[in-house]
Amino acid sequence: MGNKQKIIYVQYTNPAGYPPLEHSSHIFAKKGWEVLFMGTDVFGLSALCLPCNSDITVQLMPSCPAGWRQKLHYLQFGFWVLFSTLIWQPQWVYASDLLSCPVAVILSFLPNINVVYHEHDSHNSTANSLFIQLCLTARKWLAKRAKICILPNQERVKKFALDTSTQHKLFCVWNCPAQAEANLERPFFERSGLQILYHGSIVPSRLPVTVLQALALLPNTVKLRIIGYDTLSYLNYMQHLKEIADQIGVSNQVEFVAAMPRYELLKWCRECDVGLAFMPTDSNDMNMQYMVGASNKPFDYLACGLALLVSDIPEWKQMYVEPGYGFACNPLDPESIATNLAWYLSHPMEMKAMGDRGRKRILDEWNYEQQFIKIIDKLSDF
C-alpha cells in the first residue's frame, strides 16, 4: 500500500460514538493514509468528538429531528457524500451503519472504489418502515459488493452470513481499546471506600435501578459514578435514576457526569475501582444476546486497570470471570450486586490484582491493533 492511500468513513451518525472507528482510523493514519470522516451530529452524542490528527478530517452535518425534514436531510447527506467522494477520490469507503448502506452501495459502483462494511449493531426488528426495508435490501447488496465485511461477534457473523447469503470475506473484530490506552498503569488509591463506574448510554437494560438499590445495602463509602447520556428511547431515564436515588437515600453516593470525549473518559475511568458491564440475562434482541466482544465497556475498564462486575451469563463468565478479571452477578437482584461489591470493598489488593491481570491482557492480546491486523493484511490483497 502506498503513502497516498485515501479512505472515507461514511456513517449516518456521529462516528465519535463508536471507538472502533477511531481506532481503525488511527491505524490507517499511522500507515500514511489520509482519512476523511463524513457523518452527522446525533442527539446525546454532541459532546463526543474524535481527537485531532493531521491526517484525519472529520465533517459532520448538523442533526435533524425526525419526520419529513429528516428524509430530506438523509437525501442531502447522500448527495454530500457522493460529491465529496467524486472530488476527493478515495480508494476505499468504510461504511459503518445500516443507514449508510444505500449510500455505500451507490459509491461501490464508482470507478476504483473498494468498500469495507462494518456493522456495529445488527438489525432485528420485524416491524420495519419502508425506508428501513430499503436499507436492509441495500445491506444485502453491499454485503456482496464489499471487499470486506466486519462484525464484532462471531454469532453475529453467522447471522449476517444467513441474512445476506454471503459466506466469504466476513471477519470478526472485537471492539477492543487501542493498545496505547492501556499503557498508563492505574494508581493504587488508599481509600476506605469503593468507587464504581458505569459509562455509556443510560438505559434500563445496561444500568438497572437495582444498582442503586444495591448501594442502599452497602456502606456509604461505596460510590457510583455514571458517565453517559440519555437516548431517544429513554429520554427521562437519567432523571428517573436521580429521583430513585433521592427516594432510597443514596443520592450522596451517586455522581452523574455528562458524556465526554473518549480520551477524557479514560482519565476518569482510571480514578475508579470497579466497572459495571451488565447485559440482560433474558433478551430477544440479538444485540443483547451476542455482546461478548461487541461491548467495549469491559475492555475499556480493563484497559484502565479496573476489576469487573458483569452479568451472570455463561459467555461473559467464560470471557471475563474465569480468567480472573472480575465477578458475575444477577443484575436484577440488588443483594447479588451488593454481595460482590462488598467483597471488593473488603479485598482491595485482590481487586487491584484483577484489574492488573486484565490490563495486561489488553496490552498483550485484547487491543485493536491485534484485532485489526487481519483487516490490514486483507486490504493488501487489493
Side-chain angles (χ1 to χ4, degrees):
M1 290 181 286
N3 293 329
K4 297 298 182 181
Q5 289 272 25
K6 294 181 179 181
I7 185 166
I8 181 170
Y9 282 71
V10 179
Q11 55 286 304
Y12 193 65
T13 184
N14 186 339
Y18 298 86
L21 300 182
E22 175 183 331
H23 301 329
S24 62
S25 67
H26 279 265
I27 291 172
F28 286 127
K30 286 179 181 178
K31 290 185 171 293
W33 290 45
E34 294 182 60
V35 181
L36 172 63
F37 278 96
M38 303 196 72
T40 66
D41 200 1
V42 176
F43 174 85
L45 300 182
S46 297
L48 304 185
C49 62
L50 296 174
C52 297
N53 187 299
S54 59
D55 295 313
I56 300 175
T57 303
V58 180
Q59 298 179 1
L60 300 181
M61 283 182 60
S63 61
C64 181
W68 65 269
R69 290 184 182 86
Q70 194 171 49
K71 294 178 176 60
L72 293 178
H73 186 264
Y74 183 81
L75 285 174
Q76 182 184 0
F77 173 79
F79 281 114
W80 176 50
V81 172
L82 175 59
F83 291 143
S84 297
T85 303
L86 290 171
I87 294 171
W88 201 54
Q89 296 185 341
Q91 291 82 21
W92 287 90
V93 169
Y94 198 110
S96 57
D97 69 335
L98 177 66
L99 299 184
S100 71
C101 288
V103 178
V105 166
I106 295 172
L107 298 180
S108 73
F109 284 96
L110 296 178
N112 304 316
I113 291 287
N114 300 300
V115 178
V116 174
Y117 177 54
H118 190 158
E119 185 166 280
H120 304 283
D121 300 305
S122 300
H123 188 82
N124 58 143
S125 173
T126 56
N128 297 318
S129 66
L130 183 62
F131 175 66
I132 293 299
Q133 290 288 358
L134 169 65
C135 290
L136 289 171
T137 300
R139 175 179 178 251
K140 291 182 179 180
W141 293 345
L142 186 60
K144 297 191 180 301
R145 294 193 58 80
K147 303 296 185 183
I148 297 170
C149 297
I150 303 171
L151 294 99
N153 174 280
Q154 193 59 47
E155 293 301 319
R156 295 193 197 183
V157 170
K158 295 177 183 177
K159 182 67 163 56
F160 184 86
L162 290 174
D163 290 347
T164 62
S165 301
T166 305
Q167 299 300 324
H168 305 292
K169 62 191 177 186
L170 304 183
F171 294 84
C172 178
V173 177
W174 288 349
N175 291 342
C176 296
Q179 192 175 45
E181 294 175 333
N183 279 341
L184 289 178
E185 185 174 356
R186 174 184 168 272
F188 179 65
F189 297 98
E190 294 187 6
R191 53 187 169 205
S192 58
L194 188 70
Q195 183 68 63
I196 311 159
L197 175 69
Y198 172 87
H199 83 70
S201 57
I202 302 174
V203 296
S205 61
R206 309 290 183 90
L207 188 61
V209 171
T210 49
V211 176
L212 302 183
Q213 295 168 343
L215 290 181
L217 303 176
L218 294 163
N220 59 13
T221 55
V222 178
K223 312 286 187 180
L224 171 64
R225 175 176 291 164
I226 301 170
I227 305 177
Y229 51 90
D230 283 319
T231 67
L232 287 173
S233 300
Y234 298 97
L235 279 176
N236 300 312
Y237 187 60
M238 190 188 308
Q239 181 60 37
H240 175 64
L241 290 178
K242 292 179 180 179
E243 293 170 357
I244 294 294
D246 283 336
Q247 292 171 11
I248 64 178
V250 297
S251 57
N252 291 335
Q253 294 171 248
V254 184
E255 177 187 14
F256 290 87
V257 181
M260 62 187 70
R262 181 174 173 81
Y263 61 91
E264 292 288 345
L265 169 67
L266 296 181
K267 294 178 184 177
W268 286 67
C269 285
R270 294 186 187 97
E271 298 177 358
C272 299
D273 303 305
V274 178
L276 300 183
F278 290 158
M279 289 293 138
T281 55
D282 183 16
S283 174
N284 294 324
D285 185 341
M286 72 169 296
N287 290 304
M288 297 294 102
Q289 293 173 343
Y290 305 129
M291 281 296 285
V292 169
S295 175
N296 64 292
K297 285 183 180 64
F299 292 131
D300 288 349
Y301 298 147
L302 293 179
C304 295
L306 276 62
L308 301 179
L309 187 58
V310 302
S311 296
D312 191 358
I313 300 173
E315 295 84 358
W316 284 74
K317 291 173 68 176
Q318 181 181 15
M319 182 87 163
Y320 301 112
V321 179
E322 292 177 10
Y325 310 141
F327 293 130
C329 69
N330 180 353
L332 300 181
D333 181 357
E335 290 190 3
S336 178
I337 299 171
T339 298
N340 286 277
L341 293 177
W343 188 94
Y344 282 132
L345 180 62
S346 59
H347 296 81
M349 297 307 297
E350 293 89 338
M351 174 182 66
K352 182 179 184 302
M354 288 180 171
D356 289 343
R357 281 195 294 270
R359 192 174 74 88
K360 186 177 186 304
R361 189 72 180 271
I362 298 292
L363 287 169
D364 293 344
E365 182 183 353
W366 288 351
N367 58 75
Y368 212 74
E369 288 83 353
Q370 287 291 325
Q371 288 290 313
F372 205 68
I373 192 169
K374 52 196 168 190
I375 305 301
I376 294 295
D377 290 344
K378 188 65 178 177
L379 291 177
S380 301
D381 296 339
F382 300 102

